[in-house]
Amino acid sequence: MSKKEELLSEIKKLRRKIGSVKVYFNQHKTDSRGMGYYFDENDKLWKSYVCGEFYFITKKSENEIDVIERLYDSVCEEVEAYEKPLEKIKKIEPKLQSVPIVLNAQSCGSYAIGYFYDPETKHWATYHNDERGSSLYSYYDCEEEAIVEVYKMVKIEYKLQQH
């Protein structure tokens, strides 16, 4: 089995552990929560990407294996986020400086990260309020997906505070 086949096989096994996040092989998608890789005919480069609230290229290379390896890393990061995210949030929370974590409730205050069920949209909503009181909301079909997203935001916030 080639290196490419091994990586793709591992990714296929792991993608069952990442909820509704889709993984695309040699396809360029920007319209849903997912990640993948493709060949960009314009640039003549292989590219791996992640899309959701934002779309970004995670790796560019002339070598297909390089971008598949980056896609594998992205899938592994996503799998890690799905493994007991609530427990991880509770471990990080005491270490965060002045950023309250609000679980299953809405907060209008500045600097807060959390999630709640929105009866108007009939979806779970996550939010990140900044210091000016503006909020970034994302919506999910199930509570687990919302908790995973909160964990990712908390993890990023913690990393930012470490630097």
Side-chain angles (χ1 to χ4, degrees):
M1 188 182 289
S2 72
K3 173 108 175 161
K4 176 183 172 180
E5 290 169 327
E6 285 177 33
L7 284 166
L8 293 177
S9 175
E10 281 302 307
I11 291 169
K12 287 175 185 174
K13 288 178 198 171
L14 290 172
R15 72 180 177 186
R16 289 181 227 129
K17 298 179 179 183
I18 57 175
S20 65
V21 177
K22 305 253 186 297
V23 179
Y24 301 101
F25 302 105
N26 205 8
Q27 295 180 38
H28 185 213
K29 299 277 189 173
T30 59
D31 59 347
S32 64
R33 283 183 9 101
M35 56 188 70
Y37 82 98
Y38 68 101
F39 186 74
D40 186 328
E41 291 289 341
N42 294 330
D43 295 343
K44 303 294 183 212
L45 291 171
W46 289 96
K47 296 180 179 181
S48 59
Y49 63 91
V50 174
C51 57
E53 280 301 308
F54 303 100
Y55 171 87
F56 56 95
I57 300 293
T58 55
K59 179 95 175 168
K60 296 178 186 179
S61 177
E62 293 177 358
N63 183 338
E64 183 181 17
I65 298 298
D66 289 345
V67 297
I68 295 173
E69 285 175 338
R70 182 60 191 112
L71 174 61
Y72 173 77
D73 291 344
S74 295
V75 170
C76 287
E77 290 167 12
E78 194 70 23
V79 168
E80 183 271 332
Y82 273 83
E83 293 170 345
K84 302 180 182 175
L86 205 49
E87 288 179 24
K88 292 175 186 173
I89 290 168
K90 290 179 180 180
K91 283 182 182 174
I92 295 172
E93 186 175 17
K95 300 173 189 174
L96 284 178
Q97 300 163 4
S98 68
V99 180
I101 309 303
V102 183
L103 302 175
N104 206 9
Q106 190 170 10
S107 171
C108 299
S110 60
Y111 267 146
I113 296 173
Y115 81 98
F116 65 98
Y117 184 76
D118 183 355
E120 284 184 30
T121 64
K122 295 184 176 34
H123 286 88
W124 291 91
T126 62
Y127 58 90
H128 190 187
N129 301 345
D130 67 17
E131 72 276 5
R132 294 177 305 279
S134 53
S135 302
L136 177 63
Y137 287 91
S138 300
Y139 295 91
Y140 300 88
D141 292 331
C142 70
E143 185 177 20
E144 179 192 23
E145 299 273 334
I147 293 170
V148 167
E149 191 59 31
V150 168
Y151 166 65
K152 290 179 196 176
M153 289 188 283
V154 167
K155 183 176 163 184
I156 290 168
E157 185 70 33
Y158 180 67
K159 283 182 180 178
L160 289 173
Q161 289 183 7
Q162 300 306 301
H163 292 90

